[in-house]
Amino acid sequence: MNGSFVRSTAMKTIALLMLLVAAALPASALELESARAQGLAGEVDNGLLGIPPGAAADAQGLITTINNQRRAEYAKIAAQNNLSLDVVGSMMFEKIYVRLPVGTWVQVKGEWKKKG
Amino acid sequence: MKGTKRILAVLISLVLLVPLSAWISFPWYAQAIIDRALEGKPFHVRISGAGIPGLSGLGFRQLDLSFTTQPDECTKTSTTYRLSLLRGHLSWSIRNGTETLFPRHLHIDIRFDADSLRLHPSPAAFLFEDRKPQIGVQIDLVRNNSAVPEFRPISVSYGIDSASVTKDKLRLAAISYDISLSAGSNWQQPVDTLRIARLYSDGNPSPVGNFRALFGSKRDPLKPCTLLLSNCSVDFFAIQANSDAIEYDLKDQSTRFTLRLAEIPLDELPWLRSPEQPLRAAGKLGGSIPIEFRDSTVLVRNAIITGEREARLIYLDKSKKPLFSLDLGKKEDPKEILNNLNATIVLNSRKNNQAGIGVEHLSTILFDGNIAVSPFRFDPVKNELSLSIDMNGVRLLDHLHYHDAPEGAFKGAISGTLPLAYGKNGLVPGNMRISSTASFSGIPLRSIPVPGSDAQKKPFADGTINGTLPVEYADATLLIKNGTVAAAKGSAIFFYDKENRKLLSVDLGTPKSALLKKLNASVTIKPAAGKPRQFVLNTLSATALDGNIQVSPFTLTPGSFDRGIPFSVKLDNVNVLERLRLHGDFKASLKGTLSGTLPVTVHSKEFAITNGRLRSTGGGTISVKPAAPERTATERIFGAPAQDADYAFSAPDLRFSRHMNGSTDIDFSLKELQRKTAGGELNLQAPGGSLALWSDRKRPDVVILTNFSAGIFDGTVEIERVDYDMEKKIASTTLKLNSIPLQKLLDLQGTKKIYATGTIQGSIPITMTDQIIEIDDGSMNAESNGQIIYATSPEERAAANPGLRTTYETLSNFLYAELLSSISMAPDGKSLITIRLKGNNPDFQSGRPVELNLNVEQNLLDLMRSLTIPSNVEQIISEKALESGK
């Protein structure tokens, strides 16, 4: 199993996961989109959510819940593909980033900024 | 007949009475007889108080003999000499030369005895006095055909003993000389020894005495106006000076001679013998001093003083040990100390009626430089003198030796003015103003006295220093302006442990540039009458190793070391860290500059530092490599890892105090500390704490660390107190952990499938014995809820038995609400970790509550030593029967 194959399989799985997340967790998804739109939550380049700078901690509970879910899913993918959680999370971020509306907070390499 | 008898009786009576009357009345006509007898003679005799003569003698109250010398080719003026004998007695004995009743030739021995004799020339030049003089005169009385007999003087002898000559306030005493004049020798005084035992000035003894010379009246036909004294010697203080000849010129009344000094022991000079003085001398002096003496004025022209037989002046330290010496001559090669010495000295100056010796001019060349001494007077009454010496280019330092540094050398010329006073307190320098550019080389650092170093049996420092110190001294203040000091390669200062093993050294070698530059200092020496001198350090600063060092002012008095001398040393960016060397099992590789302040109090044998601070923006690595027996390759691979460790640190900041008893408190902080061993790394962020060294005299090997804290794994580790016995290598304490991310601990385990969130706090009692660590019932608990994920692949789950599959499912997204663990580790590293988890998996079995208990047994030491070992936690999870769903 070479690296590109692993990566390709992982990407397919992630795509599938995206659909599952969207279908299975409609309430969380809606809340997340709202929180991100209000600037209460942002996407971090490890595939998890974080609180943007200056934002209130109103969405902390939501963020923890979603992060737990994401981490569990990432772990599965990592185990299936013999990858680390961080690598899966990074790949996930790339997919999420594409779908983010302009103006959403993102943290890349430790630095928060709004998607342009 | 009767008338005839009467006439005859009268005549007889007359015959008897006339001589009797003449005998009785002799005192009244004696002067007339003398005047008549000496009529036409060039001298006069006056007698007063003459008694009635006896058969062989005559007493008198005073007998004056005066005679006048006429001007001649040697003396332009006539001089009248008046010789007086007081309360004397004239005795004679007459021998008949022809044995007839009326002899034609009588030999008369006349002897004068008197209480005193005075000879007083006029015009007045001197006064000669003698007590109990005895003068013998031999005269032949010859009766020719004429009625008046002829006196023929045959000889005069006068043994002078304990006579004196007074001239103004100068008095030569205890003069002895035998005068022996005779017609047979044409009235020439034969050569005899003239002795003058003592010389007084204004009634006080002078250091000049015991003069001896041979003198006779016969003159050199080539120098008819010169009186010659030969084989002369005189004592001056303890010095005996000699001269082949002393010539006295009657024409100009001057005396000339060349004084030869030989083998004069320097240590017998009076001002070098005082036990209170720190100045001593050794060796001998010689010299040649041409002297001309005229009108009480001594002129010295072109004199030379040489140092012989290792002549030297020695300056002693407080313990009377030689500190510095000034070489004046070599053993085999006498060296000219002084040459071209010229002086004008007035004895008993009449100008201002001051007694003693006045030096109106004194100049010489000393050590290739010029010396000129101001006019001064030596007062023998007070035994005092004060003078001022002007120096120009005197290369004194070239001859200076520092006894603790026999291989060292000084160079430099001194110029300036040095007032000196000699008196009861010995030789005392006044307000001197001197300047010199002194250079030194090869001065061993170990010879520099350092307080507190007595306790060390090893040298404080090694190597040598050299440099240049432009020095000025004026108004009791010593200034060093822009000096430089360099240390030779290999120079270093050392710090030792209690067993005198080298612990730390600072390499001072500066082969390319100076160790200290721009060295500026100002020291004022405050003289205080009757009080000990004070040395006040006003300023001391230098550029050192690209940084600056500054010492605060302080005052030094003889009692200062008992009370303690407080001052502070300020360091500013001194590039010293790269020069630090550790010894023994340690090795340092550091870089960076050091800044800070050291408030020091120095006592005679100890020192204290109060609230000192040293900090650096640099850092480096200290490697510990304990001595270990050589191991085989097999032992190295399979045996216990070596104890070698590297400690890398940065930005050290130390605040410390060292007390007089040696106990030392150090508050320290670092930016970071990394411990790196063959097994892995341990990083501590911003470690800091307090160290107490030698705080307990009963436990000198115990180092106490308190209030230690550091960042570790994004959390913190704290130690409230640990006493570490360096000798026994034992310690016992409790590590307090806070906010340690659980994931970091799992990463430490090397797990790849377990992910966790949340932080841990812990309390871990550890006991260390000779680097073996034991943990007894430590606890590590989650600070809040979190998530644990044990990720398994579908294949793993499929292959698992139902029970294990359930566990896998549970841990695929386990949200714990409680995580409690305990940890114990035996000295051999065997450890038991028990973990209790309470929580649920929201994705499994509707998120029902689950409680998990884990017991992990492993060798933690092995784990810590090698972070690369695969985690056996997964294995344990797989194998352990898990209780779930309770």
Side-chain angles (χ1 to χ4, degrees), chain A residues 67-69 71-73 75-76 78-80 83-86, chain B residues 755 757 787 789 791-797 812-813 815 843:
Chain A
N67 276 347
N68 286 343
Q69 291 169 351
R71 207 177 283 109
E73 295 305 326
K76 282 182 190 169
Q80 284 170 10
L83 296 169
S84 74
L85 190 73
D86 290 341
Chain B
Y755 308 103
T757 65
Q787 181 185 31
I789 298 168
T792 51
S793 63
E795 293 80 13
E796 287 172 306
R797 288 194 295 275
S812 66
N813 181 17
L815 303 179
D843 305 329

Side-chain angles (χ1 to χ4, degrees), chain B residues 582 587-591 619-624 645-649 674:
Chain B
L582 290 168
K587 186 180 174 187
S589 176
L590 309 175
K591 281 198 180 302
T621 303
I622 292 176
S623 302
V624 185
D646 290 341
Y647 293 89
F649 65 93
Q674 181 188 62

Side-chain angles (χ1 to χ4, degrees), chain B residues 50-312:
Chain B
I52 298 171
L55 290 175
S56 62
L58 172 70
F60 57 87
R61 187 171 68 244
Q62 181 166 345
L63 179 70
D64 292 327
L65 168 67
S66 63
F67 58 94
T68 301
T69 60
Q70 298 304 314
D72 59 13
E73 58 175 337
C74 297
T75 54
K76 292 177 181 175
T77 57
S78 62
T79 304
T80 299
Y81 292 90
R82 183 179 175 191
L83 188 145
S84 302
L85 291 168
L86 299 176
R87 287 182 292 282
H89 184 263
L90 171 66
S91 58
W92 61 79
S93 66
I94 301 171
R95 280 178 286 141
N96 187 342
T98 54
E99 304 294 332
T100 58
L101 184 61
F102 296 101
R104 300 178 64 86
H105 177 199
L106 290 176
H107 185 82
I108 307 171
D109 285 334
I110 302 172
R111 181 174 148 163
F112 292 93
D113 292 282
D115 282 357
S116 66
L117 180 148
R118 304 179 81 188
L119 177 65
H120 197 270
S122 179
F126 62 86
L127 171 64
F128 176 87
E129 290 179 292
D130 195 7
R131 290 179 177 276
K132 302 291 181 185
Q134 292 181 345
I135 301 171
V137 179
Q138 289 185 331
I139 297 172
D140 277 356
L141 184 65
V142 179
R143 185 163 57 86
N144 293 324
N145 294 329
S146 62
V148 179
E150 182 186 353
F151 287 95
R152 287 182 186 170
I154 303 301
S155 66
V156 175
S157 64
Y158 173 27
I160 301 171
D161 187 25
S162 298
S164 68
V165 169
T166 306
K167 178 177 171 56
D168 298 326
K169 294 185 177 181
L170 204 65
R171 193 162 76 91
L172 311 178
I175 299 171
S176 63
Y177 187 70
D178 284 346
I179 294 174
S180 178
L181 306 172
S182 66
S185 60
N186 202 22
W187 301 104
Q188 289 289 341
Q189 164 67 29
V191 171
D192 191 62
T193 301
L194 170 66
R195 291 185 176 86
I196 303 171
R198 293 183 294 278
L199 188 145
Y200 293 88
S201 181
D202 205 17
N204 298 287
S206 80
V208 180
N210 203 20
F211 174 81
R212 291 179 302 280
L214 295 177
F215 175 66
S217 65
K218 191 175 181 182
R219 299 180 193 176
D220 184 347
L222 297 174
K223 295 179 181 177
C225 294
T226 300
L227 299 180
L228 182 69
L229 288 86
S230 57
N231 294 345
C232 312
S233 70
V234 68
D235 291 350
F236 179 64
F237 289 106
I239 302 171
Q240 189 185 64
N242 299 291
S243 180
D244 290 339
I246 298 176
E247 294 180 350
Y248 179 70
D249 192 318
L250 294 167
K251 265 186 181 175
D252 58 10
Q253 295 184 327
S254 66
T255 307
R256 292 184 184 85
F257 57 95
T258 297
L259 209 57
R260 284 198 323 274
L261 306 172
E263 302 278 314
I264 294 173
L266 266 169
D267 58 351
E268 291 187 12
L269 294 179
W271 51 81
L272 296 173
R273 295 177 67 181
S274 167
E276 273 74 45
Q277 285 289 331
L279 203 58
R280 295 283 188 278
K284 298 192 173 179
L285 286 183
S288 168
I289 307 175
I291 293 174
E292 183 180 335
F293 183 58
R294 185 175 177 181
D295 289 341
S296 300
T297 300
V298 178
L299 299 173
V300 178
R301 293 286 177 266
N302 204 17
I304 293 170
I305 302 287
T306 54
E308 300 167 352
R309 301 199 180 187
E310 299 187 35
R312 59 198 183 278

